[in-house]
Amino acid sequence: MVKMTLIARVTDGLPLAEGLDDGRDLPDSDMYKQQVKALFKNLSRGQNDASRMSVETGPYIFHYIIEGRVCYLTMCDRSYPKKLAFQYLEDLKNEFERVNGPNIETAARPYAFIKFDTFIQKTKKLYQDTRTQRNISKLNDELYEVHQIMTRNVQEVLGVGEKLDQVSQMSSRLTLESREYADKAKDLNRQALIRKWAPVAIVLGVVFLLFWVKTKLW
Amino acid sequence: MGTENNKGYPKFPARPAPSSSPYASAPPPGIPPPSGGPPTGSDAVGFRPFPPSASQPIRPFTPSGPPPAPQVGAMRPAQPSPFVSQIPGSRPPPPSSNSFPSTAYGPPPPPPPPPGAAPFQRFPSPPFPTTQNPPPQGPPQTLAGHFSPPMSLRPQQQPMAPVTMGPPPQSTTSGLPGANASPSPADFNMAARPGFQQSMPPVTPSYPGVGGSQPSFPGYPSKQVSQPPPMPFQSSQGPPGPPPVSSYPPHTGGFAQRPNIVAQQNLHPSYAPPTSNVQGLVEDFNSLSLASIPGSMEPGLDHRSFPRPLDGDVEPNSFAEMYPMNCHSRYLRLTTSAIPNSQSLASRWHLPLGAVVCPLAETPEGEEVPLIDFGSTGIIRCRRCRTYVNPYVTFTDSGRKWRCNICSMLNDVPGEYFSHLDANGRRMDMDQRPELTKGSVEIIAPTEYMVRPPMPPIYFFLIDVSISATKSGMLEVVAQTIKSCLDNLPGYPRTQIGFITYDSTLHFYNMKSSLSQPQMMVVTDLDDIFLPLPDDLLVNLSESRTVVEAFLDSLPMMFQDNVNVESAFGPALRAAFMVMNQLGGKLLIFQNSLPSLGAGRLKLRGDDPRVYGTDKEYALRVAEDPFYKQMAADCTKFQIGINVYAFSDKYTDIASLGTLAKYTGGQVYYYPGFQSSVHGDKLRHELARDLTRETAWEAVMRIRCGKGIRFTSYHGNFMLRSTDLLALPAVDCDKAYAMQLSLEETLLTTQTVYFQVALLYTASCGERRIRVHTSVAPVVADLGEMYRQADTGSIVSLYARLAIEKSMSAKLDDARNAIQQKIVKALKEYRNLHAVQHRLGSRLIYPETLKFLPLYGLAIIKSTPLQGGPADASLDERCAAGFTMMALPVKKLLKLLYPNLIRVDEWLLKPSADHDDLRDVSNRLPLAAESLDSRGLYIYDDGFRLVLWFGRMLSPDIAKNLLGNDFAAELSRVTFQEQGNGMSKKLMSLVKKLRENDPSYHPMCFLVRQGEQPREGFLLLRHLIEDQMGGSSGYVDWILQLQRQIQQN
């Protein structure tokens, strides 16, 4: 069963539309929405280039397709046929591109195409029940192949991002520390120099002073 | 000078005392003996009488009246003569000599300020003198004896001379006649009095300066008396003075220079100064004379001169020029545009300190709030206090940083927002950025401001279909109206709609788009409500349009034979809540009878007048069953706003039902005894307005202000989500919210205080927006300035809300008294501020800005929620009006409190081709029975009702023209409609125009003929608030009552 549906722009993760009463009778829908947002953020950074993907999370699974820089994502029960889910997303994609195609790039505000939610709502209902004749025939349709679509775990997917973050953090820390190291080394060098030549300079100074005193007095 | 005044202060508290006290102490020589009963009296006359009059306005006076009168007359005349003679001489010197006067008087003949001018002109003429000295003179004659000392003094101290005491006496005799002649006595008294008090201050101060003269009292009396008061007074009444500020400086200046004055012209300095002074004062405040006119037996109150807001609400705009970037006053109105700088000052102000906010007020064409999209930059806000960027932030560090105007935090300017500064520190791109030049902007909110995607507009209807609903025709009107509005509901194509009807059972309707007819499902189990199907109870309007229309068409028929009298309101509400709680939206409830079944059933209460006057009285006005408040809280949480329409002619417990609207940001519409033939139009119009006006969904509002002050209480229809966040599930242009602020202990050191109202909402089109209004007000250390910048409209609005809230926890009497006390305290404080310097005797003084406050106070007390006792208004009416008033914007509230009364018969008879020329009828009349002429036709318009009052002697032609053949019938049965002749058309166009002025409510038209009781009393007379009615006082009594209380310590 389709639990929630989101459409976002891949380039910046801007949400474009969302199913209407998503999250109804879903206790921790907020958490899943957070995950979806994180997922979009990852996508916008250009990772996970696969245009079709399934991501497992708890008892549910996210399916998404990326087409024309727009990501269509839905969350279903794990038991929900993958085939139907992707059919559903295809339907959304076709309609969305038909209606809003030219404006997608220029959309500036979040949920700029929120009006699309009525279509989402309608389509969702068609896919709600897997046993309707319509859906069964779709399931049996061999044309649409979904087996190659990769399935990964959400931790893994989000983890990639985290790891990357970590790496970049570490590298930046490294540059910072090396700079610090250079500074310190310079400092030490100077001190060593001073330590080395200071006694000599002092002795010379005293000698000159004596000379000077001597010439003055005598 | 200030100090001097202060000295005087202690003595003055008692009004009467002041005049006498100085005397007593100083002049003892001559006067000690008040013994000279009559004589002293005379001198006192000028003075004393007033005080008393003040305290005991009218009554006391009448008896005593006669005696003083003659004296007064005498007094005036007396002086004139002396003065006249002296004047010539004195005049020249004045310019230089009198410092203060200098401003006003310096150039005597050509007085600079208008007010001053008047006096001046008079100067030359005999009258002038009279006016000036009148008072003094009086005493002189009689006192002459006493004052012998003055005489002697005079030689020594010319300055005192004003005292002219010597001369006056003599002159008195001669002068009398002339004096009287010039100014009318009545004027005089009035004028003189004010003058006195006002002038006083200056005088006193000057004295000391004069030299040792002080001790010599002779001068004193004279001085007090001597002022030129009259004129100033007049001036004050007429043209409000120029900026108040001016008043003060002159004083001080005057004083400093005193020495010179003395030297140069000893004679008359006295008057010059006073005048100037007076002028200043004039600008500062207004006063009402409450003493009787001497010589006349009846109370001399000229109630015609009382201030009345006949020009409607005056928006405060004194700062509009000073701070052009402030948001318009239709959005935010402070009770005073001068914020006190300390707690102690604020506590002395007594009036409420706060604001009335109407965040979505309707804008006239062309002044729409600009919409801004920050795009990827993100909204620019202060990191610490979260203030939105506004015109008052300053950019520094060559444009890389900006300083928050509210918390003075230095924030970075994001790269995309960066702009270079020009030489003045202004951003180069200022003109392209409305948020930096406009006080009101709307910002598109990014995803961080959404907890969910923007919701669609949702309208859910909960309709009572019991027998009374069908009988009254309500059901039909509602169904038709909803149907006619379907095209105009905001938010197409996302708008959703749904219905539940109920009597003793609940009826759900499946309106799935694939159906051709709606399916009705009946649920009879009221204890355990469940929804008969999960979806399709709330459907997308554009998809299910045909089904919805079919439903609305059949709705009235479906229940026309219903004989069920029960109302399962509570369960129905729960069911509606269950349908709506996914998305929220607006829930419109049409309730026809008292909820009688299931949860939230209510019992009859409030039909027992004995409860009134007891401590339990208030309980009638609050919800009895916690169910209602609980439901309201739940609804707010799920973004459901509730509007209640109540129609019953019997008790429906609006107090409980209204609670639902109150805490969900909705409103209550009440149509007692609904009959579709009578109220149909009103309901149609108001329901249509409710459905089609632009609405902001799932909104929250917060108002931020500078450090040192904070908003502490909020009043209106909303739910407080945290200490300062108002939750408003559905808000529109007809809702206003009032709030009070308080100061923290520290002194405000900044020059100005900023306020920022931010309303985060979802527009019907599905955009999430933030509407930001920014305003600034100066901080002042002077109480007088606060009064000068006060805004009666918002003060009244706050007071009305406070009073209504008070009536929910106390007796009506207490609520009314509280209002009265507040006004008294405020005016008393104001009086103390000025009375010290100016002996104001019996006058009621008030700042120009608050001149209507007493009247509006009276209007609040007489408004439907607060008036009278159980017999004056039914409990439901009271509560409904209370809920309505809690939400009304300032202008509409003021109109409701002091409605328009206009005479139209003359206008109707005038042959004017132009129907739009309504200016002739726009002059409003005072709301008193005496404004009604029995030969006239009047329209009374309070924004909710239009009453056409036909005078008994109204020419039958007019009546016939307007009413057709029914003109002689009883008007309650006549329907008002166009008759097809010019006059009738003209009137209809006027009525239409009046209705269009304020589209938020549809005023119903009532016709009433003079003497048609009890309708006349009920419709009109009861609302003539200036009249005495039942136990309540009229305007005059009210003023006297206030005055008496103000003078009591």
Side-chain angles (χ1 to χ4, degrees), chain A residues 14-15 17-25 30 33 37 108-111 114-119 122 125, chain B residues 373 375 444-447 450 452-454 456 492-494 496 534-536 540 543 582-583 765-768:
Chain A
L14 185 76
E18 188 170 331
L20 203 48
D21 41 359
D22 280 347
R24 180 195 288 228
D25 45 68
D30 282 348
K33 281 196 180 169
K37 277 178 194 159
R109 61 185 176 85
Y111 299 107
I114 188 69
K115 282 177 187 160
F116 193 67
D117 64 1
T118 51
F119 181 81
K122 248 189 306 186
K125 271 181 202 151
Chain B
D373 187 0
I444 291 183
T447 28
M450 309 177 185
R452 58 175 188 174
Y492 175 86
R494 301 178 69 215
Q496 300 198 3
D535 307 303
D536 299 322
N540 183 295
E543 284 167 13
Q582 291 306 320
L583 289 170
C765 61
E767 270 181 25
R768 193 90 171 134

Side-chain angles (χ1 to χ4, degrees), chain B residues 323-341:
Chain B
Y323 299 108
M325 295 185 292
N326 270 5
C327 63
H328 194 275
S329 62
R330 72 174 83 93
Y331 302 117
L332 171 68
R333 279 174 80 160
L334 294 170
T335 54
T336 173
S337 307
I339 304 300
N341 70 342

Side-chain angles (χ1 to χ4, degrees), chain B residues 221-460:
Chain B
S222 67
K223 291 231 169 158
Q224 300 173 343
V225 188
S226 68
Q227 324 170 349
M231 338 281 231
F233 188 57
Q234 298 162 344
S235 67
S236 70
Q237 284 192 341
V245 194
S246 64
S247 67
Y248 276 32
H251 289 280
T252 49
F255 285 91
Q257 296 185 359
R258 237 172 294 129
N260 294 344
I261 305 175
V262 179
Q264 293 186 350
Q265 53 149 198
N266 308 335
L267 294 182
H268 303 264
S270 66
Y271 36 117
T275 43
S276 66
N277 228 352
V278 174
Q279 268 197 346
L281 285 176
V282 168
E283 297 154 1
D284 231 16
F285 61 76
N286 262 333
S287 59
L288 265 186
S289 171
L290 297 178
S292 59
I293 297 172
S296 65
M297 291 303 288
E298 84 259 323
L301 290 187
D302 180 12
H303 64 266
R304 253 155 304 200
S305 67
F306 284 10
R308 291 186 175 84
L310 299 182
D311 297 329
D313 175 34
V314 181
E315 289 183 10
N317 56 0
S318 55
F319 284 95
E321 300 100 47
M322 200 167 153
Y323 299 108
M325 295 185 292
N326 270 5
C327 63
H328 194 275
S329 62
R330 72 174 83 93
Y331 302 117
L332 171 68
R333 279 174 80 160
L334 294 170
T335 54
T336 173
S337 307
I339 304 300
N341 70 342
S342 66
Q343 244 177 0
S344 59
L345 185 56
S347 64
R348 280 177 62 204
W349 200 53
H350 293 298
L351 291 165
L353 196 55
V356 180
V357 175
C358 184
L360 292 172
E362 279 178 303
T363 52
E365 254 340 91
E367 286 184 43
E368 284 80 11
V369 178
L371 186 62
I372 296 161
D373 187 0
F374 282 106
S376 56
T377 317
I379 298 181
I380 316 286
R381 298 178 70 176
C382 173
R383 257 185 301 145
R384 190 188 329 167
C385 64
R386 311 300 294 146
T387 299
Y388 295 86
V389 68
N390 61 67
Y392 297 104
V393 303
T394 46
F395 288 84
T396 57
D397 199 6
S398 60
R400 283 192 295 270
K401 303 242 159 138
W402 62 274
R403 187 176 293 283
C404 167
N405 54 330
I406 287 190
C407 69
S408 20
M409 165 102 174
L410 212 52
N411 294 277
D412 293 330
V413 175
E416 298 94 323
Y417 198 67
F418 176 81
S419 162
H420 289 286
L421 303 186
D422 66 9
N424 304 324
R426 269 172 47 109
R427 281 171 64 109
M428 310 282 240
D429 64 350
M430 193 82 132
D431 301 332
Q432 283 99 56
R433 300 223 176 252
E435 73 273 18
L436 298 179
T437 52
K438 294 251 165 51
S440 301
V441 291
E442 223 163 52
I443 302 172
I444 291 183
T447 28
E448 298 87 72
Y449 295 82
M450 309 177 185
V451 286
R452 58 175 188 174
M455 63 180 271
I458 291 174
Y459 293 91
F460 200 82

Side-chain angles (χ1 to χ4, degrees), chain A residues 70-83:
Chain A
V70 178
C71 174
Y72 307 84
L73 181 145
T74 183
M75 186 176 90
C76 322
D77 292 321
R78 282 196 183 205
S79 56
Y80 191 79
K82 213 172 178 179
K83 221 173 186 176

Side-chain angles (χ1 to χ4, degrees), chain B residues 924-1045:
Chain B
R924 301 171 56 182
L925 300 167
L927 279 178
E930 63 183 50
S931 302
L932 298 172
D933 180 346
S934 61
R935 282 161 302 182
L937 171 65
Y938 294 82
I939 293 186
Y940 163 95
D941 169 22
D942 66 3
F944 291 79
R945 294 176 316 136
L946 285 174
V947 179
L948 263 70
W949 186 86
F950 291 77
R952 201 179 288 131
M953 327 256 293
L954 178 66
S955 116
D957 284 350
I958 299 183
K960 194 164 183 180
N961 276 334
L962 296 180
L963 302 175
N965 296 327
D966 300 332
F967 73 96
E970 199 185 324
L971 291 182
S972 58
R973 282 194 225 111
V974 176
T975 48
F976 182 55
Q977 57 199 6
E978 195 162 311
Q979 295 294 334
N981 55 53
M983 195 180 285
S984 177
K985 279 198 184 115
K986 208 166 162 186
L987 185 64
M988 290 310 275
S989 76
L990 174 64
V991 167
K992 190 158 160 253
K993 187 109 179 178
L994 290 176
R995 284 178 173 160
E996 280 167 0
N997 278 346
D998 175 10
S1000 55
Y1001 290 91
H1002 183 82
M1004 255 176 74
C1005 226
F1006 294 92
L1007 308 178
V1008 66
R1009 183 170 285 135
Q1010 185 178 14
E1012 206 174 54
Q1013 293 297 358
R1015 276 184 91 231
E1016 185 191 18
F1018 169 73
L1019 287 173
L1020 182 62
L1021 299 186
R1022 201 176 78 181
H1023 300 285
L1024 297 176
I1025 55 169
E1026 287 187 23
D1027 287 342
Q1028 194 159 349
M1029 196 75 53
S1032 59
S1033 42
Y1035 193 15
V1036 174
D1037 295 342
W1038 168 253
I1039 290 287
L1040 293 177
Q1041 216 173 315
L1042 288 183
Q1043 169 71 349
R1044 208 174 310 134
Q1045 293 188 12

